[in-house]
Amino acid sequence: QVQLVESGGGLVQPGGSLRLSCAASGYTLDYYDMGYFRQAPGKEREGVSCISSRDGRTYYADSVKGRFTISRDNAKNTVYLQMNSLKPEDTAVYYCATCRRYYTGSDYKYEYDSWGQGTQVTVSS
């Protein structure tokens, strides 16, 4: 059975850092593009980041660019999201998921599927 388990969330002050981990079981991450999206109360789901399995190409939402870094360790079957300079607006449940880039005809977008249970990130003083 495919399972993704996120960890590393918590309460942090503005300007602080957290590192999320996503461990997979039941399948090998090597062949999947992997990423994170987040869901805050009353807000639409937002794709945060995605990393390619083929060439390591990364994508970041404008809202996190320059602050978040996604990486993967295929030997450990784990994906990481390093989050620095956190802001209160980063507060959300973060989900690890498979991701896919697709072309709309005018732009590239990303969709996320097969996510884990999520981990809460709260940025507050």
Side-chain angles (χ1 to χ4, degrees), residues 76-90:
K76 295 183 178 180
N77 221 28
T78 301
V79 178
Y80 304 97
L81 185 69
Q82 178 66 44
M83 305 186 297
N84 299 329
S85 302
L86 283 161
K87 304 175 182 180
E89 50 263 44
D90 294 319

Side-chain angles (χ1 to χ4, degrees), residues 33-35 49-52 57-59 70 99-100 110 112:
D33 295 356
M34 297 298 300
S49 184
C50 181
I51 183 167
S52 169
R57 180 189 63 232
T58 55
Y59 156 80
I70 192 169
C99 54
R100 185 180 74 88
Y110 289 81
Y112 298 80

Side-chain angles (χ1 to χ4, degrees), residues 1-2 6 9-10 22 48 54 60-61 64 67 71 91 102 116 119:
Q1 183 177 354
V2 173
E6 299 96 336
C22 172
V48 173
R54 185 176 68 253
Y60 298 97
V64 306
R67 301 187 296 121
S71 61
T91 295
Y102 64 97
T119 185

